[in-house]
Structures are given as C-alpha cells and as structure tokens.
Amino acid sequence: EAQVTQNPRYLITVTGKKLTVTCSQNMNHEYMSWYRQDPGLGLRQIYYSMNVEVTDKGDVPEGYKVSRKEKRNFPLILESPSPNQTSLYFCASSGRGGNEQYFGPGTRLTVT
Amino acid sequence: AQKITQTQPGMFVQEKEAVTLDCTYDTSDPSYGLFWYKQPSSGEMIFLIYQGSYDQQNATEGRYSLNFQKARKSANLVISASQLGDSAMYFCAMRGGRYGNKLVFGAGTILRVKS
C-alpha cells in the first residue's frame, strides 16, 4: 500500500528542547516536503527536497532544518522549538509532475 | 506568485442537497493543477479530486465534481447528495513552484451538513 508515515503523531514539548519528526514514504518519490497548518492560513510549505541531498526552503523555513540522506526519509528537525511553532505538521511526497500528492497523517506539536 | 482564495469560511447544507465550495486562483503559469482535499476532525488530508489546466473536461469523482472555469480562474467543488460524513474542512490547492510539485493552499472552508 502506497503511504507516507510520520512519527510521532502527537508531541508536547518545552521551549528549547530539540526534537525530530520523522517522515517516510514507500513510493520511491523524488519530491518530498513539509507543511505546517495554522487556523485561517491553510497549509504552508516549510522545506522541500527534490532528491537525496537536495533540499531548499519553502515559504516558512525559519526555525526548522531538514535532511535527505535516503530517498524514502525526510525528517524535520526543530533545534530549539518555540511556542509559535505549535502547529499541525504534514509531510507529503509526490512523483515527477506533482499530479499525485500523498500526505502523511499529520503530527500535532505543542510547544509550551 | 501563485495564490488560492477561498472566500467562504463556513457553509451549511441540508443532508441530501448539493453544495458548492468556491475557489479562485491566481497564477501566471500556463501549466498548473488544482486539487481539493477534505480534512475531517481527525486531521488527515484526504485527496478528493484533481483538475489539470489543459484538461478539456471538468473532473468528476463519484459525488465530487470540479467546476473549472479557466477564464474566470475558478475551480469550485460541487458535492452532490450531501451526507453527514461530508462535514469537514475543505481545502483548495494549486500545484506550482519551481519544480511543479509545491502545493499552495487556500485558507479552507468548514462545511457542516445538517440532518
């Protein structure tokens, strides 16, 4: 079954404590990205990756890091989380052309 | 820059009736794609329907159809025979970006189906 998995699904943490949200896809897609969803703003792209070792900033990259060491994995790293990063995060992947976009189940992050 | 506008923050519809959710878009790219996603209260993003800019016919998927009016830059979602399970947030999105894979989302419309 084609799928994108994310872990953890829920996370409550404190300001400044580094965390990583994992993302993995089993479709051999080149393109992966991270989005955050906030009320009234829809989803906004944080970072994306075109392939292994190729990443670039999206629209709201501040406070986040990513890496793409393997094609299937694209973790999101918050080195020093702050309360304004409390949000619902989605990982997504797509093949060339982008006509099929697959989303993970989401990670609900709360930073206190 | 690409932009998606959903002007209806919330909508109500009676069960078994049809409802139209509005979406307008702005882009200078001749090739683009438009998506609709459903997000129930559980939070996952569920793909509903896709329309390519060069597609001649409006896309349909079961009870969902996309009313694509290219000249007006609108891509409204029509849900026929609404069901209680259709109550959710609905997002319109456009495919674009440097590599054509980035999705730009609207703010969403909350749909409530009344029994």
Side-chain angles (χ1 to χ4, degrees):
Chain A
E1 179 190 357
Q3 62 179 357
V4 178
T5 58
Q6 291 178 232
N7 282 292
R9 295 288 313 279
Y10 302 90
L11 180 59
I12 301 174
T13 190
V14 297
T15 299
K17 185 176 182 181
K18 181 179 179 180
L19 66 92
T20 299
V21 184
T22 64
C23 173
S24 182
Q25 49 95 3
N26 64 359
M27 294 161 280
N28 202 36
H29 283 162
E30 291 89 2
Y31 191 93
M32 298 184 73
S33 57
W34 277 101
Y35 295 86
R36 63 176 287 172
Q37 180 183 353
D38 301 291
L41 298 176
L43 281 74
R44 295 174 293 167
Q45 192 182 55
I46 303 170
Y47 267 94
Y48 66 92
S49 169
M50 281 307 297
N51 215 322
V52 175
E53 303 292 1
V54 182
T55 63
D56 205 350
K57 297 176 181 178
D59 297 321
V60 287
E62 294 77 21
Y64 305 95
K65 287 177 59 178
V66 293
S67 69
R68 187 94 180 269
K69 294 182 173 19
E70 302 168 287
K71 197 171 186 178
R72 64 182 292 125
N73 297 324
F74 189 44
L76 179 69
I77 303 158
L78 284 71
E79 296 258 350
S80 184
S82 62
N84 64 13
Q85 292 179 298
T86 292
S87 188
L88 178 58
Y89 291 87
F90 288 99
C91 180
S93 76
S94 63
R96 292 184 183 180
N99 291 359
E100 290 186 344
Q101 301 264 351
Y102 293 80
F103 280 83
T107 295
R108 195 169 293 277
L109 172 66
T110 301
V111 183
T112 61
Chain B
Q2 295 171 315
K3 185 178 180 180
I4 294 284
T5 302
Q6 295 179 254
T7 57
Q8 307 154 312
M11 291 278 288
F12 284 96
V13 65
Q14 196 67 37
E15 193 177 10
K16 300 181 184 178
E17 292 185 351
V19 63
T20 298
L21 304 183
D22 294 341
C23 172
T24 58
Y25 62 91
D26 190 22
T27 181
S28 56
D29 293 334
S31 176
Y32 53 89
L34 295 154
F35 298 77
W36 277 93
Y37 286 88
K38 172 184 179 182
Q39 186 179 47
S41 58
S42 53
E44 71 268 30
M45 295 291 285
I46 301 170
F47 167 77
L48 295 178
I49 199 166
Y50 171 81
Q51 178 86 42
S53 58
Y54 294 119
D55 293 342
Q56 295 295 315
Q57 294 190 333
N58 287 344
T60 60
E61 292 284 350
R63 295 187 298 110
Y64 304 107
S65 61
L66 199 152
N67 184 1
F68 183 46
Q69 298 189 43
K70 199 169 183 177
R72 298 179 63 183
K73 293 190 174 180
S74 74
N76 299 338
L77 177 70
V78 180
I79 305 174
S80 63
S82 296
Q83 302 171 356
L84 295 178
D86 293 334
S87 293
M89 175 74 89
Y90 289 80
F91 288 103
C92 179
M94 171 185 288
R95 170 178 60 80
R98 183 179 174 187
Y99 301 101
N101 296 76
K102 173 183 176 180
L103 289 182
V104 176
F105 285 83
T109 296
I110 299 175
L111 176 67
R112 290 287 177 254
V113 180
K114 299 183 292 185
S115 59

